[in-house]
Each structure stands twice: as C-alpha cells, then as structure tokens.
Amino acid sequence: MLVEETTATTLRSGLATLPDDELVALAQRHDESAVRTIIRRHNQRLFRAARAITRSDAEAEDVVQEAYMRAFTHLDTFRGDALLSTWLTRIAINEALNRKRRRRETALLDDIDLALAEEEPALAMYPIVQIPTNPETEAAREETRLLLEGAIDRLSEPFRIVFVLRDVQGLSTEAVAECLRIPDATVKTRLHRARRMLRQILEETLEAGFASLYPFDGLRCVHMADRVLARLRPRAGS
C-alpha cells in the first residue's frame, strides 16, 4: 500500500528535478509522490508506444495503466541495467502485444525483410510550428492530427511502432532498438519503409480530395447568377 510522503525530500516541488534512479529508490520505499512523478514523466512515451500497437486511444490508456501496475508491483526487479524509460516502454509494448495475441491477432515484428538499409531524413512535411491559438487554428490542427493518425494507423504494426517511437516520440535509433530488442539496422530499415509507405498513404488520401477543393456551388453559385443578371437587366431595357 502506498503511503503519503512525510519528509521534505519527497515534496512534489523537488521531485521533478530528481533523476529516475533516485525516484525509483523513493518509489521502492512506497513514496506516493515519487510514483506520481515517474508516471507523469513517462506517460507520453508509454501511451504512444501502446497506441502504435493497439490503434485505439482507450485501449492504449488501459495498456499504460496495466504496464504501470506491473512495473510498480515488481519494482524490485528493476536493476538499472537499462534506462527506466526503456524498461517501462518494454513492459508497455509487451502488454499491448499480449493483448493482441489474446485476441488472436498476429504480431509481425519478426517478419520484416532487411532489403532497404539506408535512413532518410525525418519527414519534412510535418513541421511543428508554434502558432497563437484560436478556434480556426485549433480546428485545423485537430484535422491535421486526425489525418496523420489515420495514415499512421494504416501502417502494419512493425513499421508503425518503429515510426512512432523514432519520429513521433523522438527516440534515437539505438533507444528504439533497445526497446524492441532488434538490431539497429532493422530499426533503420523499418523506419525507412514506414516513411515511404506513410508518404504514399498521405498522397493517396490528399489526391482523393483534390476534386472537392475550392468549391463554388450552392448559394454562392446562385448569388453569382443573381448579381450578373442584375447588372444585365438595365442594359436589356435600354
């Protein structure tokens, strides 16, 4: 059972600056604030890793919760051989994959060929720009997010998880390889192919909508005819 912190060293104001190993030591002594700090620090990475496998926000959230439960109830097994973030990510990935296996879906992480070994620059089409928020900007940003998430969800699992960890979460090639326990070359290959497939998916999606660009119909069309006729009528009577 977790207990509330009782000493100044466990005050929330100071925990955010502590390294993971010190937080682990506090959490092993059932320090609730240390546990909360670890969770806040690693939530984003674990959710993205789980979401890349489950393709469901709700299920990914369940996976992350279960991963934390497994981690904190077996925290004594963490020896520091890997980074805490890597250890937690592995637990989340394993939990997500186990859920898929229980649904009799096939995990494909071992079935990718290594034909393409070079690495491309990160996708330049997704710049992160800080723009003052307003309703129109937020709506456009949400539409773009949904478009990208939909495209990423169409990638097969081995490519999707590598793309999310590498390009979305921003992990290094070495860190992704350690999380997935695959060679660096395999990470590079899958990332290269994921980027190519994602670009193709986005191009196909966008091209399908070109015919609907710059619409001029409905009331706009009617009003244009009204305005033209209004200007023509005086001439007709002259």
Side-chain angles (χ1 to χ4, degrees):
M1 178 74 67
L2 294 175
V3 296
E4 294 184 355
E5 61 274 16
T6 57
T7 65
T9 59
T10 58
L11 289 175
R12 180 180 298 181
S13 59
L15 288 177
T17 62
L18 292 180
D20 280 343
D21 57 345
E22 293 185 30
L23 288 173
V24 168
L26 290 171
Q28 287 174 332
R29 298 200 295 270
H30 309 296
D31 188 301
E32 184 174 302
S33 287
V35 172
R36 291 181 180 275
T37 302
I38 290 172
I39 291 174
R40 286 195 299 269
R41 182 173 295 177
H42 298 287
N43 264 342
Q44 181 80 291
R45 176 189 288 198
L46 268 61
F47 178 81
R48 285 173 168 170
R51 177 63 173 75
I53 295 172
T54 65
R55 292 189 288 183
S56 162
D57 285 6
E59 190 167 5
E61 192 168 340
D62 288 344
V63 167
V64 172
Q65 179 175 309
E66 185 61 27
Y68 281 132
M69 289 300 298
R70 292 180 183 275
F72 288 119
T73 55
H74 297 86
L75 201 56
D76 56 328
T77 66
F78 177 69
R79 304 302 182 191
D81 298 333
L83 295 175
L84 178 64
S85 58
T86 301
W87 186 68
L88 291 173
T89 302
R90 284 177 182 165
I91 295 174
I93 289 172
N94 287 336
E95 174 63 23
L97 289 174
N98 285 336
R99 286 185 177 224
K100 290 196 69 175
R101 293 189 185 103
R102 288 195 293 269
R103 294 198 312 267
R104 296 181 181 178
E105 295 182 11
T106 304
L108 304 174
L109 287 177
D110 297 324
D111 298 332
I112 305 303
D113 68 89
L114 303 179
L116 300 171
E118 79 265 24
E119 181 169 356
E120 292 180 352
L123 288 173
M125 63 178 70
Y126 311 139
I128 299 176
V129 180
Q130 296 297 325
I131 303 174
T133 58
N134 59 64
E136 291 184 0
T137 299
E138 288 301 319
R141 185 176 297 168
E142 178 68 7
E143 187 174 349
T144 300
R145 181 184 68 80
L146 293 175
L147 174 66
L148 293 176
E149 287 185 357
I152 293 170
D153 283 348
R154 290 175 60 185
L155 297 174
S156 61
E157 184 180 287
F159 301 115
R160 190 169 61 249
I161 183 64
V162 167
F163 180 83
V164 169
L165 290 177
R166 184 71 175 84
D167 277 358
V168 179
Q169 184 60 32
L171 302 187
S172 66
T173 297
E174 294 75 15
V176 175
E178 189 174 1
C179 285
L180 300 179
R181 294 180 175 174
I182 58 177
D184 290 3
T186 304
V187 172
K188 294 178 180 179
T189 297
R190 294 181 186 179
L191 179 63
H192 175 79
R193 296 185 65 183
R195 288 168 175 167
R196 289 178 58 190
M197 289 187 290
L198 186 58
R199 189 174 291 113
Q200 181 177 355
I201 291 170
L202 288 170
E203 287 174 354
E204 292 172 354
T205 302
L206 293 173
E207 285 175 2
F210 285 165
S212 63
L213 292 177
Y214 307 120
F216 196 86
D217 52 14
L219 289 177
R220 295 175 69 196
C221 184
V222 172
H223 291 163
M224 176 61 74
D226 290 342
R227 288 195 298 271
V228 171
L229 288 171
R231 294 182 64 185
L232 288 174
R233 281 172 188 144
R235 296 183 181 182
S238 60

